[in-house]
Structure formats: C-alpha cells, structure tokens
Amino acid sequence: DAMVIQNPRYQVTQFGKPVTLSCSQTLNHNVMYWYQQKSSQAPKLLFHYYDKDFNNEADTPDNFQSRRPNTSFCFLDIRSPGLGDAAMYLCATSRRTSGGPEQFFGPGTRLTVL
Amino acid sequence: GQQVMQIPQYQHVQEGEDFTTYCNSSTTLSNIQWYKQRPGGHPVFLIQLVKSGEVKKQKRLTFQFGEAKKNSSLHITATQTTDVGTYFCAGPSFKEKSSGDKLTFGTGTRLAVRP
C-alpha cells in the first residue's frame, strides 16, 4: 500500500545532541511537509518542499533544518535540541493541485529531550 | 496572518448524543478540509468542501461549508466510542508564492465519548 513512513517512531536525545528524523513516501507526491505538534495543539508547519524548492516558515527556529535528497525521502535535522523541542514531529505529503490539496500524514516521531 | 478558530475546544458527550464543532476563518477560503486525529495517532483526512453552502455526508458525519466560505461545521449524529479524537478543520494559505500548498489548521475540537 502507498504510504508515508517515519523513522524512528520514538526518539530520545539529550539536551544539545543533534538528532535526525526521517520520512519516506511511496505516494510519489511532489510536496512534503514537516510539522511539529505539541500536546493538545494543532500541527504547526515548520517547512515544506515543492519538489526541491524549499519553503521555510518565518517563525521556524534556525535550529531546525531539512533536506530532501530525492522525491521519496525528507529529513528533519534538529541541530541542538532544547527541552522545548520535545514534541511529536509529523511528516506529510500532498500532490500539488490548485486550491490546496489534501495531505497524507505519517505516523509521527515522538521526540523526548532529556 | 490567517487564523482559523474552532469551538468548542473540548466536548464530552454520552454515547448516542450528537456532536458539532464549528470552524471560523479570518479570511475567505477556497476550500475547507477536515481531519480526524485519534489519541496517540496522526491526522487523517476526512473530506474537502469547495463550493459555497456545500453540504456533504459520510454516514453519521455531516460537513457544511458556509455561504461566505469563511466558516464550516462538522456534525456527528449519535456518537459512538469510535468517534473519540480531535477534529481539525484546515484551509489553504495563499499569501505568498508557493503557499498554495500550505494548510492553516484550526485549533481543533477534542471529543470524548462516555460509553
């Protein structure tokens, strides 16, 4: 089945220790997104790619970086995680169409910062 | 910037009761989408409404898009324990180049159902 896969599902890191989260998709969608979601809140968009065109949100901290080496894969790098970065990180994809297409979410990676 | 608010923030109902969540956008939307997120899960797309005044049904769920395309509602008839979760509305952002790919999510309504 076509899907969005995130690894790992749970990640524990230490304060300040870099961490990379990965996302892959078999949907062949040209748009990929990274969201941060904290408890009882809506998903907050960090950045998205349309193909290789990177789009950063104005309020995304520099601590968060992303790479998309090909259509199928996208990575989220947190260079120096702080306690406030503990959250669920959701990857999503969509196929670009006019008027805002539906998004397909992966299961998420829950990040704990010690 | 664009804001999408939902009310109520939380609702606890007895199984079999009806439930409604309301979504209001600060800007006119070209379409509205609804997502459901189960506890511990990820958002799952439910439906998209495009036309002014549009009403769509999925079994016990009824979705409506306002005439002015700035508000929407989701009504669940005779809730079941499987309806538990947070319901988010979301509308596309069109402020900047490439932003048509983005969604602004509503604040969400968490539904709890007493069996």
Side-chain angles (χ1 to χ4, degrees):
Chain A
D1 284 339
M3 55 183 12
V4 182
I5 301 162
Q6 289 189 246
N7 285 303
R9 295 291 309 277
Y10 301 90
Q11 175 75 57
V12 180
T13 190
Q14 291 180 331
F15 183 94
K17 185 173 180 183
V19 67
T20 295
L21 310 182
S22 74
C23 176
S24 63
Q25 55 129 341
T26 59
L27 297 161
N28 203 32
H29 283 169
N30 46 16
V31 190
M32 293 187 79
Y33 309 81
W34 279 105
Y35 289 90
Q36 179 192 66
Q37 187 177 31
K38 296 188 175 180
S39 183
S40 303
Q41 295 183 18
K44 178 181 182 297
L45 183 65
L46 296 173
F47 21 61
H48 77 282
Y49 282 90
Y50 170 54
D51 289 332
K52 291 211 166 205
D53 182 19
F54 176 72
N55 299 274
N56 198 30
E57 292 301 295
D59 57 355
T60 297
D62 292 341
N63 197 26
F64 292 87
Q65 303 285 317
S66 184
R67 297 168 282 137
R68 189 180 185 186
N70 54 53
T71 300
S72 301
F73 285 87
C74 198
F75 299 96
L76 170 62
D77 301 308
I78 309 177
R79 293 194 296 189
S80 181
L83 297 179
D85 297 327
M88 175 73 85
Y89 289 88
L90 295 163
C91 173
T93 72
S94 71
R95 179 173 46 85
R96 175 179 263 195
T97 60
S98 61
E102 68 178 272
Q103 295 185 10
F104 295 80
F105 284 82
T109 295
R110 184 165 295 283
L111 178 68
T112 300
V113 182
L114 300 177
Chain B
Q2 180 185 38
Q3 291 188 339
V4 183
M5 305 297 291
Q6 286 182 249
I7 55 170
Q9 194 174 0
Y10 172 74
Q11 188 151 9
H12 199 169
V13 301
Q14 183 72 42
E15 188 172 22
E17 290 182 341
D18 292 355
F19 160 78
T20 303
T21 171
Y22 299 91
C23 171
N24 291 284
S25 170
S26 58
T27 59
T28 302
L29 301 170
S30 61
N31 69 77
I32 191 86
Q33 300 178 19
W34 284 92
Y35 291 79
K36 176 184 179 182
Q37 185 172 20
R38 287 200 161 98
H42 57 279
V44 174
F45 174 80
L46 294 177
I47 206 160
Q48 178 174 283
L49 304 171
V50 178
K51 298 177 185 175
S52 170
E54 187 171 12
V55 178
K56 285 188 176 180
K57 292 191 176 185
Q58 288 180 349
K59 297 182 180 178
R60 295 177 294 104
L61 277 61
T62 302
F63 303 84
Q64 189 164 5
F65 200 9
E67 294 290 340
K69 302 183 80 173
K70 293 183 73 174
N71 57 70
S72 181
S73 64
L74 158 58
H75 179 81
I76 303 178
T77 303
T79 54
Q80 300 175 358
T81 54
T82 53
D83 296 325
V84 163
T86 301
Y87 293 85
F88 292 100
C89 62
S93 309
F94 284 105
K95 285 192 300 183
E96 309 130 11
K97 176 178 176 288
S98 299
S99 66
D101 303 310
K102 302 195 304 186
L103 293 175
T104 299
F105 279 82
T107 47
T109 295
R110 186 158 70 94
L111 172 65
V113 179
R114 285 190 300 271

